[in-house]
Amino acid sequence: MTEQDILVRLVEDSEMQACNLFHNKLYKKSRSFEQWQWEFKSNLYNSSSVPFAVAVNQGQIVGTQALIPIRMIDRTGVYWTAKSEETLVDPQFRGNKLFERMYTVLFNYAKEHNYVNIWGFTPAAKAFTRLDFSISARTEQLFIPFSQKAISMLLAKGTSGTQSTIKRSLRNIVAHAGGRIAQSVAAFKISMQRRVKLTGLKLENICDPTDETAEVCQRFIDRWGGRTIYRDSNYFKWRFFTNPYVRSNIAGIFFEKELLGWVAFSLGDDGMGYLIDLMVNGDESRISTESLVRELLLEAVIRTRNMGAYGIRSWHVNEHPFDRIVTRVAKKVGFFHIKRGHAFVLYDCDGGSSRSAADNFNEWYITRAFTQGLHG
Amino acid sequence: MSLPPEVQYLHSQILNHLKLFFAPKVTHLFDSHLVRFLPYNDAITIKEKIIAIPYDIPISSVPVEPYKVDFSGTKLTLWNRIDRPHNLGWTAIPNELTPLWYRHKEGTLIPGWNLFGNLYKLLTFGEEAESIQRDSHGRFVAAYSQRKECGLLEVPAFNEATAVLAAGCLGLQEKGEPFLNLKDAVKAPVISLSHDCDVLYGNDFWTQAVRAFRVIEPLRRLRFPKLSNIRWIAKNAVIPRRFYFDNVTGMIDLERSFGFTSTFYLLNGTAGRFGARNGLKPIPELCKVIPLHWGKGIHYNYDTFLNSDLFASQYAELQSVINIRIISGRAHYLRFDPDKSFSFLSQFGIRVDESSGFSDFIGYRNGIAGCFQVFDRSASKTIEMWEVPMTIMDSTIVRQYGRDALKVYSAMMHHLSRIGGAMTVLFHPGAFYNPEFPEMIGIYHNILMESRRLRARSLTAAEMINQIKDSVSA
């Protein structure tokens, strides 16, 4: 078998079920076809073809690489980017440059469709750097344990198979002791928080997509600069309200019926609470941004705890001014900052224009909404 | 010739069930000339290509010789088998030992077991009518059931029989013989969630007293006192809503994230150990927390059992703080009398009841995973009241099956996904997420995840009834 025996191209409708089965077989998962379709086919770009590359050998799927089109916004307007997803090559077919070949198909697709850049999160950044992706930063965690189970889960995710039993046991004992202290400190800090009391200010669930979210997004960028996902009603509908995995709860903060911001949170299938998204744009003369952020963080913390979460996790990614505020307030509310996460990789499709260049990564405002939505 | 009211009643219930859980073509076939209820002697001599259901076969008080049959990717459990008709030309499908059908060479099909007798007895509470046993609360509990003895409580006999009839209709029409598979004729199962709000603040006298008793109770057996209870006494003394009222918001948020809804049954009225632990006080605030599309109903207080004055008083008090008309309810301690309670409740405007379940075991009290109209046996008429039996209660499934509770739930849901039906699950706020009961933590979340995996549709009890009514008017 030579490299050329393996066909690399965009997926055809008749192969979509097989792509999902390929993923399920390799990862031992039970993702439904409906979930596959939501993730890759029902995207917001409305293109006739799906940016999902496949490697096919004798009619069998042996590799996949996908892009999820995501619309972003900066001060110059709204533009399209794509999230890299579903990087998978059958172990038997490694060494055939399938990853590179699939990405060649997708780079062409991105160019044709005017995507400004391609980005993603990966534990295997090396493969991406070979394709001229740059590693811009790593995600970091903001974390509150509500119970000891949260510590066990965190440890399980970070356990390396090469560690000796003694070393692992010692690490567990220390982590659990630290976890107990963290739990108590966080519980104390949460109980000490006083909710903002301002006539006209109230929290309400957002249960349907609304155009107001796009306005908040626009004002957010006007104020804080940089770039972030354009969270209009279509995005909310797709990303949150029709998410076939877990639908986030979204608490909006309103001042006299005007939406100032929101927090999206969920309970993942693993029992952990996740702070998925947080965005605020208020009028400092009425109430400070910090106060609004604190209100929303507390709402997410208390409600995920009431949902039975073992803990709650959020992201701190870079030095975007709003991300810095969120991190600062989160620590006051009881979150702990853990420097562990995945690499953020970025590829410029338009030849390094200021909009997409990797060296201004601190201008990106990133939340867990940038993930593909498995946890909400 | 018009059919006896009992037969018309069962025909209606099967039709309602088909509307909820099967493709419309099945309902049309069942409601056509293809299915007929007949006396046994007519059924075996009719010699037409129809499904003939005998309605006059006597039924024993004890289920006779249960047997299992493979059907549509699951196993059905049938009992009270009928013998192959004595006249010539009848064969058993799939076989003589475990018959689903007897088929005449002219095409007539009759069920291989006493379908009418079994279903009618189950829906009309025939089993408990034959028994005088009742527990200290006056209830017929699962332990007294003959089906419990035979391991049949977890068999949704009505759903199984309806599924067999549905496949029979489809097969008879398409191929002249019954199918043993429903293929795409069955809709996704329904999950119907509800919550009895017995305790909303954990600092009431009785809850705290029970904890205090639990501290010292082991001393009677010369064991070390259970000091952990002191922690819960203290915790709820300081934060009464924690693990109770707060759990209501937690359950709503969790259900919302699955796209599910539920019904909250609110307990007010007389206080006491068996009564309303928190009275009316938390209910107005609770009603603000419950979203519009979720259901609200009355949890009939213990002492209102067949007591018109007390029931009217509780109903009026609750209605004064609820902005919708109360039409659904469930009895606190599942205390009800199948002969008297339904007509009693209907006088007060209750139209949907969820009291028919067991507190000591999980299972289908009426052999149905779904809903049915109540039949008054003494007057031989259908009452203006729908029953949606409660199948699974939070602590009951965990007490009964321990660590296998979720496996059991999963198996029961899988079974319903093959034959159609609604799983009704009751979770009390205090059992949802409460470190005082560590064995319960995560159970509700896992139940919802499993339901999502099987693509269950979420409908409250009232919504199920409305869907049936809507399909009638359509």
Side-chain angles (χ1 to χ4, degrees), chain A residues 9-131:
Chain A
R9 54 170 166 71
L10 289 179
V11 70
E12 289 169 5
D13 279 0
S14 59
E15 293 168 328
M16 289 175 179
Q17 292 261 22
C19 289
N20 189 42
L21 293 174
F22 174 68
H23 164 276
N24 286 347
K25 190 179 142 200
L26 248 61
Y27 280 137
K28 295 188 172 67
K29 299 269 183 193
S30 54
R31 183 174 67 187
S32 69
F33 185 54
E34 181 204 357
Q35 288 167 333
W36 186 95
Q37 284 178 306
W38 171 78
E39 217 168 318
F40 302 113
K41 205 181 170 194
S42 65
N43 65 61
L44 301 170
Y45 193 82
N46 286 329
S47 160
S48 54
S49 58
V50 180
F52 193 105
V54 288
V56 184
N57 179 57
Q58 295 178 349
Q60 298 291 310
I61 304 290
V62 296
T64 58
Q65 174 61 54
L67 298 180
I68 304 174
I70 303 281
R71 207 148 49 133
M72 298 193 68
I73 180 170
D74 65 10
R75 278 181 172 156
T76 58
V78 171
Y79 60 98
W80 284 97
T81 69
K83 179 178 190 288
S84 171
E85 199 53 65
E86 201 84 343
T87 309
L88 267 177
V89 173
D90 187 323
Q92 289 180 13
F93 290 84
R94 284 191 186 145
N96 287 300
K97 297 194 172 164
L98 295 183
F99 179 59
E100 290 82 347
R101 290 177 61 197
M102 288 190 289
Y103 245 115
T104 304
V105 172
L106 292 176
F107 285 150
N108 289 334
Y109 185 98
K111 220 167 220 175
E112 269 173 41
H113 291 81
N114 294 323
Y115 293 169
V116 171
N117 49 41
I118 299 169
W119 48 270
F121 306 95
T122 178
K126 222 173 169 181
F128 284 86
T129 53
R130 281 203 298 269
L131 294 180

Side-chain angles (χ1 to χ4, degrees), chain A residues 99-210:
Chain A
F99 179 59
E100 290 82 347
R101 290 177 61 197
M102 288 190 289
Y103 245 115
T104 304
V105 172
L106 292 176
F107 285 150
N108 289 334
Y109 185 98
K111 220 167 220 175
E112 269 173 41
H113 291 81
N114 294 323
Y115 293 169
V116 171
N117 49 41
I118 299 169
W119 48 270
F121 306 95
T122 178
K126 222 173 169 181
F128 284 86
T129 53
R130 281 203 298 269
L131 294 180
D132 290 339
F133 275 84
S134 55
I135 302 174
S136 304
R138 299 188 79 81
T139 59
E140 293 172 4
Q141 309 286 321
L142 294 168
F143 174 58
I144 298 181
F146 299 142
S147 75
Q148 283 297 294
K149 187 83 193 266
I151 307 296
S152 308
M153 285 172 69
L154 207 66
L155 288 172
K157 283 199 173 174
T159 301
S160 128
T162 54
Q163 269 182 351
S164 71
T165 316
I166 297 173
K167 206 171 166 186
R168 209 164 30 223
S169 303
L170 270 173
R171 187 170 147 264
N172 284 355
I173 291 167
V174 172
H176 277 286
R180 281 224 182 269
I181 296 167
Q183 208 181 317
S184 307
V185 170
F188 178 74
K189 280 186 175 177
I190 294 165
S191 67
M192 287 293 108
Q193 300 295 323
R194 290 284 165 267
R195 306 300 290 257
V196 177
K197 281 183 183 153
L198 176 68
T199 313
L201 189 75
K202 66 173 179 178
L203 283 159
E204 247 176 42
N205 289 315
I206 300 176
C207 297
D208 295 300
T210 157

Side-chain angles (χ1 to χ4, degrees), chain A residues 245 247 249 268-269 303, chain B residues 242 253 256-257 432 445 452:
Chain A
Y245 292 96
R247 294 181 203 175
N249 278 277
D269 287 357
R303 283 171 66 176
Chain B
R242 193 84 177 95
D253 281 341
R256 193 190 280 121
S257 69
F432 161 64
H445 188 203
R452 180 187 62 197

Side-chain angles (χ1 to χ4, degrees), chain B residues 37-245:
Chain B
F37 287 81
L38 295 167
Y40 178 75
N41 284 334
D42 294 350
I44 62 168
T45 52
I46 193 163
K47 292 179 186 169
E48 285 177 33
K49 204 184 258 187
I50 60 160
I51 291 174
I53 303 173
Y55 62 72
D56 55 355
I57 302 172
I59 187 161
S60 73
S61 58
V62 181
V64 177
E65 294 178 20
Y67 61 99
K68 290 192 183 292
V69 189
D70 287 330
F71 176 86
S72 209
T74 186
K75 272 193 193 307
L76 307 183
T77 309
L78 311 172
W79 63 90
N80 296 341
R81 175 173 28 202
I82 60 176
D83 291 334
R84 181 158 55 84
H86 51 79
N87 44 353
L88 285 175
W90 290 93
T91 50
I93 299 172
N95 59 56
E96 290 281 343
L97 275 178
T98 59
L100 263 187
W101 296 105
Y102 292 115
R103 180 172 183 270
H104 192 264
K105 61 184 178 187
E106 298 292 334
T108 314
L109 289 172
I110 64 167
W113 77 109
N114 191 351
L115 184 149
F116 178 86
N118 286 6
L119 301 196
Y120 179 74
K121 184 175 176 179
L122 285 166
L123 292 197
T124 57
F125 299 86
E127 191 177 42
E128 48 208 273
E130 289 168 0
S131 167
I132 53 161
Q133 287 183 292
R134 297 293 183 268
D135 74 354
S136 58
H137 299 290
R139 304 173 299 189
F140 178 81
V141 292
Y144 306 146
S145 167
Q146 296 288 350
R147 281 184 296 147
K148 167 80 182 56
E149 294 288 302
C150 307
L152 299 173
L153 282 185
E154 288 163 30
V155 177
F158 188 94
N159 303 56
E160 295 186 358
T162 312
V164 171
L165 286 175
C169 289
L170 289 168
L172 203 59
Q173 199 221 16
E174 287 179 30
K175 281 197 161 179
E177 54 186 60
F179 290 151
L180 299 180
N181 203 314
L182 283 161
K183 295 176 190 156
D184 55 355
V186 65
K187 289 184 193 169
V190 166
I191 172 96
S192 186
L193 305 165
S194 60
H195 313 289
D196 290 351
C197 299
D198 305 350
V199 182
L200 289 167
Y201 298 146
N203 66 341
D204 72 274
F205 170 78
W206 287 104
T207 306
Q208 297 286 47
V210 168
R211 287 171 178 151
F213 176 74
R214 284 194 202 127
V215 175
I216 55 169
E217 192 269 340
L219 295 172
R220 292 195 311 177
R221 290 172 280 126
L222 299 177
R223 300 253 172 91
F224 204 71
K226 281 189 181 164
L227 299 175
S228 63
N229 284 286
I230 294 172
R231 186 178 161 198
W232 310 123
I233 292 172
K235 185 127 198 169
N236 275 145
V238 179
I239 319 170
R241 297 158 60 117
R242 193 84 177 95
F243 310 125
Y244 293 92
F245 192 104

Side-chain angles (χ1 to χ4, degrees), chain A residues 30 32, chain B residues 260 410 414 448-456:
Chain A
S30 54
S32 69
Chain B
F260 294 169
S410 185
H414 174 262
L448 299 194
M449 282 197 284
E450 184 57 16
S451 306
R452 180 187 62 197
R453 193 182 69 77
L454 291 166
R455 297 175 189 195

